[in-house]
Amino acid sequence: MHSTTKASKSDTSTILIDGRRIAYLTLASRALDRIEETKLVPERKVLYQFTARGHDLAQILLGSMLTHPHDGIGAYYRSRPLLLTLGLSLEDAFAGPMAKSGGINDGRDIGVVFNRNSFGGPTVLPMSGDVGSQFTPVIGWAQSLLYWRQELGARDREGAIGVALGGDGAVATNGFWSALTIATTLQLPVLFYIEDNGYSLSVPSKWQTPGANIAKNLGSFTGLTIWDGDGSDALEAAPLLAAAVEHVRHGHGPGLIRLRVPRLSGHSGQDTQAYKPKGLVEQERAADPLDKLRAQVVPSQLSEADWAALEREVETDVQRALDAALARPEPDTATVQRYLFLERAPDGSPEWQKQGGLAPAGHGFPATTTIADPEPQRINFVAAVRRTLEAELKANPKLLVFGEDVGPKGGVHSATQGLQDAFGERRVFDTSLNEEGIIGRAVGMALNGLMPVAEIQFRKYADPATEQLNNCGTVRWRTANHFASPIVVRMPGGFAKCGDPWHSVCGEVLWTHVPGWQVVMPSHAEDAVGLLRTAMRSPNPTIFFEHRHLLDAAWARRPYPGDNFALPFGQAARLSEGSELTVVSWGAMVERCELAAQQSGYSVELLDLRTLAPWDKSGVLASVKKTRRLLIVHEDGLTAGFGAEIAATVAHEGFFSLDAPIERVAVPDIPIPYNVGLMDAVVPSVERISQAIDALINT
């Protein structure tokens, strides 16, 4: 279904039901912007300032209609008026941009990036400073609303929706188009709210979308209902917004509303708008929505005296909030490293974040053990992953598995074979071919209390999702423990029967450099079971790397260790005791290190790290203290590979334990080649590792 709807103007009694509140919030938003622009920015008390003047009225009208306690909103840096409407205090609205303590993020994130927990009202998902990344998490929130209702029987989610705000520039982003595709193909309860001020910073709308009107261009988009109008006029905008919100609330599919608004300032505090054509700034000022609002509510709802009294009330409230915000202390520098991961409270109990994942609802799991209960037969790595997913799907009704080809096909590596038949299309499902959409959707689902297990089909394909992965890892830290987004991302990669620069990428060091992620890289089936189970029960996000060579390798086969088997992160496995040399490795290189150590004839202690974030620093240092030599072997590139981090740590903290220089064996700084002979020439071989062992022991 599709329509492009324009509304006729109605009288204020039917459209502006509470004109006084709308006016109060608009005046308050203007006062905040004015004080920042004229006082706080010049005094350098606010370092990033994005005014909402001109955008304010339409956002406030929208916010007044988002009343369901399970509505989820994805906003961006010019969305403070919406936040004020949803309950952001004037004091916090000042304190955030001033980077004061307390409030939304305790000075950790730029102050125009807000969020709001769902304490009896809608949730504003944690914003980010990049453009367009707000769209796909809202999609995940909306899909999880359906899941809560249809699979978990949560009747309180009836009528709740997702709302994604963006400007005319955001409609050109990968996130917008990914979200639009998912929303329309799945007919999700999502409203796209596009406020079009004609410019993305200095670039006109005509360079963002053909004809400068995204609503018109989407006129033939199947499954999307569209509204288009003037956001500076409450009598036109309010009925359009009401129609759009009610359409989505009543289950009629996704909608998009585009409202034209004037940007009554530069893009940010430093922008002079010199790029705008002569006369445009004056035209925009003439379209000021506050002036129009005043004319519409005075005298129909408020007298001249009432309006004047309202202005005085706002000034008093805003000044009081400013004074309180200025009086707040600066954030405590001693706490800045807190909340990358779940922490313990002073009494030893978990210090759960307010929202996200399973922990805030007190979800319980069956007991686990680190002692395996092995079955008689060995299974391969991919079967171990499949059985663990199956067991956790049974144990946790809030767990979902999705990605490209994971449904009827069962995954390109067969790791999800049969799971959709067993658990249904709502729990195990295929996605569109867009990694931004896969990860962003997972983030939104986790924020809404589910446990998403997303598959990126090959490690290299994660690149388009890098923005979402980066943002996901830092959610807890950026929001000072108010939110977390614990997801599991299964990511196959590495060499296999052949190589190539695309499917054979490891690059695992990248994820160790992204704050907030746990990075897991098992070398055999038993560890895959134990580590994957821990990941799916963790309150922190996890990259679970499945090496392609290991999926059916004979060496990696082990007996299935049982449905209660789980391994802690950050504890290496000692595969052999030794006194002459410590070899540290992970993933597919562990087998080759074991063979090389056995062939060498030396007393080699082999450690399989298993997890890189966290990694077993104390275990490695203890081993080096005993053997006094260290060799690190990995498949990632040599320069800045994770082996460099281990080497630097041991050189710094274990220097006096070393009798020889630390050595590394890794892939040269080139992609993995396709030809088998070329691949074998660059991927560390048993022979290369053996030579390195011999050379190091005889140094």
Side-chain angles (χ1 to χ4, degrees), residues 28-311:
S29 180
R30 289 296 175 92
L32 287 164
D33 286 335
R34 184 188 71 249
I35 291 169
E36 287 179 345
E37 290 172 329
T38 62
K39 176 180 172 62
L40 300 179
V41 169
E43 293 176 356
R44 298 193 62 78
K45 291 185 172 69
V46 168
L47 303 179
Y48 276 98
Q49 201 273 337
F50 291 83
T51 182
R53 287 189 292 124
H55 291 232
D56 36 25
L57 174 60
Q59 285 187 26
I60 289 164
L61 290 170
L62 173 64
S64 67
M65 300 171 190
L66 301 180
T67 56
H68 196 293
H70 293 289
D71 286 344
I73 300 115
Y76 72 117
Y77 50 80
R78 213 180 297 282
S79 300
R80 185 165 62 185
L82 176 82
L83 270 293
L84 291 171
T85 314
L86 295 175
L88 176 69
S89 72
L90 293 173
E91 183 181 334
D92 275 341
F94 270 129
M98 286 193 285
K100 292 290 189 174
S101 61
I104 299 301
N105 58 51
D106 203 32
R108 294 164 181 242
D109 208 343
I110 57 175
V112 293
V113 172
F114 292 103
N115 58 69
R116 182 185 188 277
N117 297 120
S118 58
F119 300 138
T123 296
V124 178
L125 280 59
M127 299 186 203
S128 54
D130 35 48
V131 179
S133 65
Q134 69 269 32
F135 291 109
T136 52
V138 173
I139 292 300
W141 183 279
Q143 188 171 354
S144 65
L145 289 173
L146 297 183
Y147 186 85
W148 274 100
R149 283 159 42 190
Q150 296 167 351
E151 288 290 314
L152 301 177
R155 306 299 297 176
D156 60 340
R157 263 73 171 182
E158 292 285 351
I161 64 174
V163 180
L165 282 73
D168 49 283
V171 303
T173 63
N174 179 28
F176 173 76
W177 288 99
S178 173
L180 196 62
T181 298
I182 301 168
T184 50
T185 54
L186 298 181
Q187 287 294 284
L188 297 177
V190 176
L191 177 63
F192 295 88
Y193 172 90
I194 305 301
E195 44 190 16
D196 189 343
N197 63 34
Y199 282 88
S200 180
L201 210 162
S202 67
V203 180
S205 297
K206 67 180 182 179
W207 299 120
Q208 309 298 343
T209 189
N213 186 336
I214 189 64
K216 185 176 181 180
N217 288 344
L218 292 172
S220 61
F221 215 84
T222 301
L224 182 70
T225 304
I226 298 171
W227 294 263
D228 192 6
D230 184 356
S232 70
D233 186 337
L235 298 187
E236 180 173 338
L240 287 173
L241 286 163
V245 170
E246 290 306 303
H247 172 93
V248 180
R249 282 210 194 283
H250 288 99
H252 300 311
L256 180 144
I257 182 167
R258 169 187 175 260
L259 295 178
R260 302 181 306 280
V261 295
R263 194 183 75 193
L264 302 177
S265 65
H267 170 75
S268 62
Q270 293 75 35
D271 180 14
T272 65
Q273 302 197 90
Y275 46 82
K276 285 188 174 180
K278 185 178 181 180
L280 179 57
V281 171
E282 289 72 20
Q283 293 174 25
E284 290 177 322
R285 287 173 182 163
D288 189 334
L290 180 58
D291 293 340
K292 294 182 182 181
L293 177 67
R294 188 184 190 282
Q296 290 161 351
V297 300
V298 176
S300 61
Q301 293 194 40
L302 301 173
S303 68
E304 292 283 357
D306 291 336
W307 184 272
L310 183 62
E311 289 180 323

Side-chain angles (χ1 to χ4, degrees), residues 2-24:
H2 165 268
S3 66
T4 301
T5 306
K6 294 179 181 288
S8 60
K9 295 183 182 180
S10 303
D11 64 85
T12 57
S13 63
T14 57
I15 300 304
L16 298 176
I17 297 173
D18 190 353
R20 188 184 191 284
R21 179 171 182 266
I22 299 297
Y24 177 93

